[in-house]
């Protein structure tokens, strides 16, 4: 009977909350609990995967499945308490699919949006490239708004314009946030290369 009760308490079928830390304060979910449940949903909710298939194959480490551990980990992280910062899993190791303490950092939304691949939106074209009549336009999102970088005759030329603009811009933002992000995140941004297969 005890096993059945415990199974019912699992979040998304995998997350364990032993109750050491509150999930709500004044009727609202805590920041830690929202982060934890959203992370589990991205990785283990079939309904979420139907809407966002790019998260298929993503997992959460055993340690991060434990809410107590995740809550305590958050308290030690640079940027956790900064407004407008979000949990990122694949900046330090590009293409990483697992949420764990070695791969995850908190980064500003401005950086997170800049690094989003948006693969479902662009189809088969390279990152940063859209069809424009018979040509191809290079475009980069800056603070949520599209910045046109020119129109080109081939997707490859458009991608090169995008890459030429984006890599220095990522480094510019790395310097802007250097003192408020994890040093590993800063280094990853300084080394970041935009690839045509992103």
């Amino acid at each position: 009977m005890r096993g059945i009760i415990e199974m019912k308490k699992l979040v998304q079928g995998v997350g364990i909350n032993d109750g050491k830390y509150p999930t709500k304060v004044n009727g609202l979910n805590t920041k830690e609990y929202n982060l934890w449940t959203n992370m589990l949903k991205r990785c283990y909710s079939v309904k979420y995967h139907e809407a966002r298939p790019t998260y298929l194959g993503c997992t959460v480490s055993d340690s991060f499945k434990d809410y107590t551990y995740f809550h305590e980990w958050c308290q030690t992280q640079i940027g956790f308490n900064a407004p407008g910062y979000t949990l990122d899993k694949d900046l330090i190791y590009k293409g990483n699919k697992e949420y764990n303490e070695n791969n995850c950092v908190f980064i500003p939304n401005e950086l997170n949006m800049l690094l989003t691949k948006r693969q479902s939106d662009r189809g088969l074209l390279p990152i940063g490239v859209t069809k424009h009549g018979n040509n191809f336009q290079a475009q980069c999102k800056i603070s949520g708004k599209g910045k046109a970088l020119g129109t080109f005759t081939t997707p490859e030329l458009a991608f090169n314009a995008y890459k030429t603009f984006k890599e220095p811009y990522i480094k510019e933002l790395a310097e802007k946030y250097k003192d408020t992000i994890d040093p590993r995140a800063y280094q990853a941004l300084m080394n970041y290369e935009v690839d045509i297969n992103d």
Side-chain angles (χ1 to χ4, degrees):
M1 184 70 176
R2 180 177 166 81
I4 293 170
I5 293 169
E6 285 177 353
M7 283 300 288
K8 285 182 180 176
K9 288 183 180 177
L10 291 177
V11 177
Q12 296 295 337
V14 295
I16 299 164
N17 178 10
D18 63 9
K20 181 176 180 181
Y21 296 103
T23 59
K24 290 181 183 290
V25 173
N26 298 324
L28 297 173
N29 283 351
T30 62
K31 183 176 181 179
E32 294 89 345
Y33 192 67
N34 272 338
L35 284 167
W36 187 66
T37 54
N38 286 335
M39 173 180 68
L40 293 173
K41 181 169 71 176
R42 285 188 203 108
C43 295
Y44 301 107
S45 165
V46 173
K47 191 173 180 181
Y48 191 86
H49 290 162
E50 287 171 1
R52 299 193 179 184
T54 52
Y55 280 95
L56 276 166
C58 290
T59 59
V60 176
S61 68
D62 288 343
S63 54
F64 266 24
K65 287 175 186 170
D66 180 342
Y67 178 58
T68 293
Y69 181 91
F70 181 78
H71 184 287
E72 292 175 353
W73 175 83
C74 285
Q75 313 313 310
T76 66
Q77 300 308 298
I78 298 168
F80 167 66
N81 283 313
Y85 277 50
T86 190
L87 182 66
D88 179 274
K89 73 175 180 344
D90 51 11
L91 171 59
I92 293 177
Y93 300 106
K94 200 172 180 181
N96 172 58
K97 292 273 192 179
E98 183 181 73
Y99 286 89
N100 65 49
E101 59 270 58
N102 297 317
N103 300 335
C104 290
V105 288
F106 288 94
I107 61 173
N109 285 335
E110 182 179 18
L111 273 169
N112 192 51
M113 286 192 302
L114 185 66
L115 300 174
T116 301
K117 305 287 192 294
R118 294 183 182 84
Q119 195 153 6
S120 58
D121 294 340
R122 69 176 197 259
L124 298 174
L125 290 171
I127 189 169
V129 178
T130 56
K131 195 85 170 76
H132 191 73
N134 292 324
N135 293 309
F136 300 88
Q137 186 177 66
Q139 189 178 75
C140 188
K141 287 235 177 190
I142 306 297
S143 302
K145 295 180 180 177
K147 178 180 176 64
L149 304 171
T151 303
F152 303 87
T153 54
T154 68
E156 293 76 18
L157 287 171
F159 168 76
N160 286 335
Y162 172 80
K163 176 181 172 76
T164 300
F165 172 83
K166 189 169 180 178
E167 287 181 350
Y169 185 63
I170 289 172
K171 290 176 175 60
E172 184 182 315
L173 287 185
E175 293 298 340
K176 175 182 175 182
Y177 291 109
K178 183 177 182 178
D179 296 332
T180 59
I181 57 175
D182 189 301
R184 295 172 302 156
Y186 170 77
Q187 202 55 56
L189 291 165
M190 294 303 288
N191 295 333
Y192 197 92
E193 291 185 12
V194 178
D195 190 272
I196 198 163
N197 296 314
D198 281 347

